[in-house]
Every structure is written in C-alpha cells, then in structure tokens.
Amino acid sequence: IKSTRHYNTTRGVEKKPTFALRVLLQERFSYIIAREIAGYQSSVEIKNNTLSVTIDSLKHTADKWMIPRKARKAFRAVAFEVLYFCGERDLIVRGAEAVFDLRPHEAQGLFAPLLAAFGDADTMEAWLMRTQTMTENELTDEYNNDEESSDEKLRRVEEMRAGKVTQNMTAAPNVKRNVIGNAVTNQSS
C-alpha cells in the first residue's frame, strides 16, 4: 500500500496515493457513513426549491474519527451524497454493503472530492493508522457479527425519528406546519 510515486507541488514533493490506498479510504468511510451518519438526520426542511437536511451527528463524527480539517467540508458533502445516492434505508439495513454494490465508477465519483481533500498518500496513510483501533472496535463488529437484524435496525431508527418529530413539534409550538403528503414545511405564525 505504500506509495512510491512522487510529484512536485507548491508545498514540495508529495507521494501519490496508490489505488489500493484510495480504496481502503473509500471502504472505511463507507462503514463510517453507514454506521454513524445514516438514520441520524435531525430535520428536513423544504422551502421553495431548496431541500435542507440537518444531520447533527456530522460534527461529532468528524471529530471522533479525526478527519483532517481540510477534508471536513468534503466529508459532509460526500456523506450527504452517499445517503442520497445509496438510500438511507439501504445504508441502515445493509450497512456499507449498499455502497460496495455500486459500480466502481459510481463509488469513485462519490468519494473523489473527499480523497482529493485528503491530498497526498502520507495524510491518507496516517489517518488510516490513527483510526485503525477504533475501526476494529466499532465498525467491523456491526457488519461481521450482524447481531441486530434488519427489522431491529429499522425499528430503532423509526423510534429515533418519532422522538425527533415529537421534539421538533414541541420545541417550537408557535410554528405552523403544513403537511402535504409526506412533506412537512415550517411557517412562523
């Protein structure tokens, strides 16, 4: 996995990441997004042509997994795109397998901004080493043992969503909500 190709940049000579190294990063981020991002959005707001999704766990996840500051904006964007492209339900039920079932060019297209934000091979290798123990303890157990069935995962997420809806409705009682089909829009009264 060690990179041997080098290229010149304004910051000096940097190592070009190998294909295997880029795939390892994509795999690790697939597990992180499936485990810690999918199912945790706290609000969805629709206003005219704008859809705003708030995911409270993004900052906590970026801090916990020690994502480099220069890659955090790309991480947020990629996490949202993976949720949207693969489907949150599939990520909850099937985990990272939902991402692994994508065609190679689809997965590379989704993760390219994040890999580019990481920069050179040294940064990627250092991040993989720093997060290895946490990966072994927190990510691999969930998908290898599969202790929780798909129905249990969906039930847990549904309970969490019901709690959030109740919290959102009671937190701002002066907000009038119009329900159209499955969408909820907020309007101050």
Side-chain angles (χ1 to χ4, degrees), residues 72-90:
R72 288 188 179 209
K73 188 174 184 179
F75 171 68
R76 289 192 312 257
V78 168
F80 179 77
E81 287 186 35
V82 169
L83 284 172
Y84 188 74
F85 195 81
C86 295
E88 185 178 29
R89 183 182 188 282
D90 271 355

Side-chain angles (χ1 to χ4, degrees), residues 18-122:
T18 63
F19 178 73
L21 182 58
R22 293 188 306 248
V23 169
L24 282 174
L25 243 71
Q26 289 177 8
E27 179 185 30
R28 176 126 347 137
F29 276 112
S30 296
Y31 280 113
I32 291 169
I33 292 168
R35 168 80 189 261
E36 304 210 9
I37 304 296
Y40 291 98
Q41 84 271 6
S42 57
S43 69
V44 176
E45 189 176 317
I46 302 169
K47 188 172 186 179
N48 296 328
N49 295 332
T50 304
L51 171 68
S52 298
V53 178
T54 303
I55 303 172
D56 288 335
S57 66
L58 272 173
K59 182 178 180 346
H60 170 74
T61 301
D63 291 340
K64 174 182 175 181
W65 287 95
M66 300 173 274
I67 296 171
R69 296 242 180 260
K70 64 183 180 181
R72 288 188 179 209
K73 188 174 184 179
F75 171 68
R76 289 192 312 257
V78 168
F80 179 77
E81 287 186 35
V82 169
L83 284 172
Y84 188 74
F85 195 81
C86 295
E88 185 178 29
R89 183 182 188 282
D90 271 355
L91 287 167
I92 293 166
V93 174
R94 298 179 53 230
E97 289 298 320
V99 180
F100 302 153
D101 286 345
L102 295 176
R103 293 184 180 112
H105 72 277
E106 292 171 334
Q108 289 171 2
L110 285 172
F111 287 98
L114 183 56
L115 298 178
F118 261 78
D120 67 344
D122 287 336

